[in-house]
Amino acid sequence: MRVLKDVGVKPLSAVGSGMEASIAETSEKLIALKNVKIVIESQEEDKMQVRVDLSGDETQKVFNKALTNLARSAPPIPGFRREKGGKTTKVPTEFLLQILGEDRVTNFVIQEIVTSTMADYVKKENLKVKEDKITTTQKAEELKKVFVPGNEFGFNAVLELEKPEAETESENENEDEAETENESEPEPSS
């Protein structure tokens, strides 16, 4: 629970200071998270702030999968043979982290968690998000400090919502009607 206390709730006005992620449909997703708790903390007409929490098991799964995928794209590691398909096998995690860079792996994992959880949520709730981008209220550095594979992890995100098309069309019609009424009224003579 210590990790969750370190990540505080911030007001909606914190947009822009956090980490941005694109939730546009990607052809292949790295992970599919199952036990994610998402709670709407506040909602305005065009903005929604949510709190996302993951269990320690989920963070460990994401970390392991990300490490495996990064290892596949890494240059050959001396002393370890590649199998068919390009996989480097049986490289100790600590050694792999040292070669790939712990910061790089952590950044990749956090980005993947934010992107996949929010993309799934937006799709499930059938939301239209402006430019398919979401922003965390915490900066990337703050998220990196509290992320530990195998421990609970959470973040707050702000989604800027697009107005539904029907609502936008009816507003335009109302404006047109108001203009027509103003034009048809006789002007007062002086």
Side-chain angles (χ1 to χ4, degrees):
M1 291 307 265
R2 187 189 134 279
V3 172
L4 297 178
K5 288 178 188 172
D6 290 345
V7 182
V9 176
K10 296 190 178 176
L12 282 176
S13 61
V15 175
S17 62
M19 181 177 83
E20 279 194 8
S22 174
I23 56 170
E25 288 293 318
T26 55
S27 57
E28 62 178 71
K29 282 175 52 177
L30 174 64
I31 55 168
L33 296 165
K34 294 176 180 81
N35 300 321
V36 178
K37 181 181 169 192
I38 300 178
V39 178
I40 298 173
E41 291 191 327
S42 64
Q43 188 168 3
E44 296 172 13
E45 192 174 314
D46 61 343
K47 285 185 186 175
M48 175 189 288
Q49 181 170 328
V50 295
R51 173 70 189 174
V52 180
D53 290 304
L54 287 85
S55 68
D57 288 344
E58 291 294 322
T59 60
Q60 190 64 55
K61 283 180 198 172
V62 175
F63 184 78
N64 293 343
K65 207 166 206 177
L67 198 57
T68 302
N69 283 355
L70 287 172
R72 280 189 194 133
S73 63
I77 300 169
F80 296 93
R81 288 190 179 178
R82 286 190 184 260
E83 290 181 350
K84 288 183 180 177
K87 277 205 289 192
T88 304
T89 58
K90 299 177 182 148
V91 179
T93 302
E94 286 75 28
F95 186 63
L96 202 51
L97 273 175
Q98 195 174 23
I99 289 173
L100 296 173
E102 197 167 343
D103 262 8
R104 177 179 172 217
V105 174
T106 302
N107 285 341
F108 184 77
V109 170
I110 292 170
Q111 188 74 39
E112 192 58 39
I113 287 172
V114 171
T115 302
S116 63
T117 55
M118 296 314 302
D120 288 346
Y121 178 72
V122 165
K123 187 175 180 181
K124 184 179 132 197
E125 297 297 322
N126 201 21
L127 300 171
K128 300 272 188 231
V129 179
K130 284 184 184 173
E131 299 174 12
D132 283 331
K133 288 186 180 173
I134 61 103
T135 308
T136 62
T137 58
Q138 301 90 349
K139 292 180 182 174
E141 294 79 34
E142 294 174 58
L143 294 173
K144 258 183 11 188
K145 284 180 187 175
V146 296
F147 180 80
V148 177
N151 287 353
E152 292 178 348
F153 176 72
F155 63 92
N156 295 11
V158 175
L159 295 88
E160 290 192 48
L161 305 174
E162 292 180 359
K163 288 184 179 182
E165 286 182 30
E167 194 177 303
T168 307
E169 287 173 14
S170 66
E171 284 177 9
N172 289 343
E173 288 171 12
N174 291 341
E175 287 172 10
D176 291 343
E177 288 172 13
E179 286 175 17
T180 308
E181 287 175 12
N182 289 341
E183 290 171 7
S184 62
E185 290 178 14
E187 292 186 28
S189 55
S190 311

